[in-house]
Amino acid sequence: MKLNDPHPQASPCFQLFDQSTPYTTIRCLKEEDLRSVWLLEIPGRGLITLKRWPVTWQLRWKSFFKQSQPDRQLTGAWKLLKAGVNTPQPATPVYRSGSFYQLELPYIEGVTAYELLKSNLPVSHDLLYELARELGKIVRRLAQAGLRHRDLKLENVVIKEPQQDAAPLSLWLIDPVGIRNSFSISDSFVCMLDRLAIQPLNEGLAVPLSLQIICIRSALGQFSRKERRHLFQTLRKRLLASRSQSLTG
């Protein structure tokens, strides 16, 4: 999520929620089919993330039931904020701009947890331990709030750049589309811990066992020893099933 290439581009041009707002296009952060995410700079507002979805009949139909991706992006963000989890607060409602739906969000500048673990640069053990503990706390907050994140991946966790050297680690979830209500705390824990673990396993990213244990203990600290043992066993089975599914998929 670093600004590797902050040189403004002349195009494309966007019609924002406030049509009179001047802006500078920095770069495209992500593009898949006709969906895209752009980084803009707006005077007085700083860096802004602009998310765009093409208007299709499927999306319009899902919008009636508040199940479209734009709707879930918006409702997921509010659910995270209510649960006390950092996420960019939507700066606008979802709005129509030509043949696209759009949503404006503050840009969270930092490095993703995935980039940090994958980097060959020297990283202190204290930072990694704190990262693991904070990830566990996020899982616990969501589960206790009756939520689960079906797409909780390390690449969707941004470590925000601190304002000062002694500032505590600040983690932000940047893609809340996968937030769902959950009626089982144990299912929420297993689902989210499985999601955190499966991407590194699939991509051969070596995550030290000590970090995995710290994260799981941080998430499950409130449970009794018997409950933790049961959740460990359930999580192990879930990871094996997810791993097998990814290999055959």
Side-chain angles (χ1 to χ4, degrees), residues 21-194:
T21 300
Y23 68 89
T24 301
T25 302
I26 305 297
R27 63 187 174 97
C28 181
L29 297 173
K30 184 178 180 181
E31 193 165 15
E32 183 179 350
D33 297 327
L34 293 177
R35 299 191 302 271
S36 59
V37 183
W38 294 83
L39 180 63
L40 311 179
E41 185 171 14
I42 297 178
R45 288 175 58 188
L47 295 173
I48 295 296
T49 300
L50 178 68
K51 291 200 165 189
R52 311 184 84 215
W53 297 267
V55 177
T56 62
W57 70 265
Q58 295 97 329
L59 186 146
R60 295 181 68 178
W61 174 251
K62 289 182 178 180
S63 294
F64 282 113
F65 305 98
K66 300 297 182 183
Q67 291 301 311
S68 68
Q69 276 207 352
D71 288 314
R72 288 188 283 121
Q73 173 78 41
L74 201 59
T75 57
W78 294 124
K79 287 179 179 179
L80 287 180
L81 291 168
K82 187 176 180 180
V85 176
N86 293 327
T87 194
Q89 181 173 330
T92 66
V94 175
Y95 61 94
R96 180 79 175 262
S97 176
S99 57
F100 289 89
Y101 285 124
Q102 297 186 165
L103 178 64
E104 299 170 29
L105 303 155
Y107 176 77
I108 306 302
E109 190 168 358
V111 62
T112 67
Y114 182 77
E115 290 169 337
L116 181 68
L117 291 171
K118 193 175 181 180
S119 172
N120 293 323
L121 298 175
V123 180
S124 71
H125 291 297
D126 289 343
L127 175 61
L128 293 177
Y129 293 157
E130 189 176 2
L131 170 61
R133 280 192 294 270
E134 291 301 316
L135 281 172
K137 289 179 183 178
I138 287 175
V139 170
R140 187 168 71 244
R141 287 194 192 104
L142 291 176
Q144 290 176 336
L147 302 171
R148 62 177 173 174
H149 196 336
R150 295 173 59 187
D151 197 28
L152 184 57
K153 299 187 295 187
L154 294 175
E155 64 184 8
N156 287 336
V157 179
V158 173
I159 305 168
K160 188 176 180 179
E161 293 185 346
Q163 300 297 319
Q164 50 189 358
D165 294 338
L169 197 67
S170 179
L171 302 188
W172 292 66
L173 299 189
I174 58 171
D175 193 357
V177 171
I179 296 293
R180 295 288 190 276
N181 293 327
S182 177
F183 300 103
S184 169
I185 290 182
S186 60
D187 286 349
S188 294
F189 278 113
V190 171
C191 170
M192 290 185 283
L193 290 171
D194 170 69

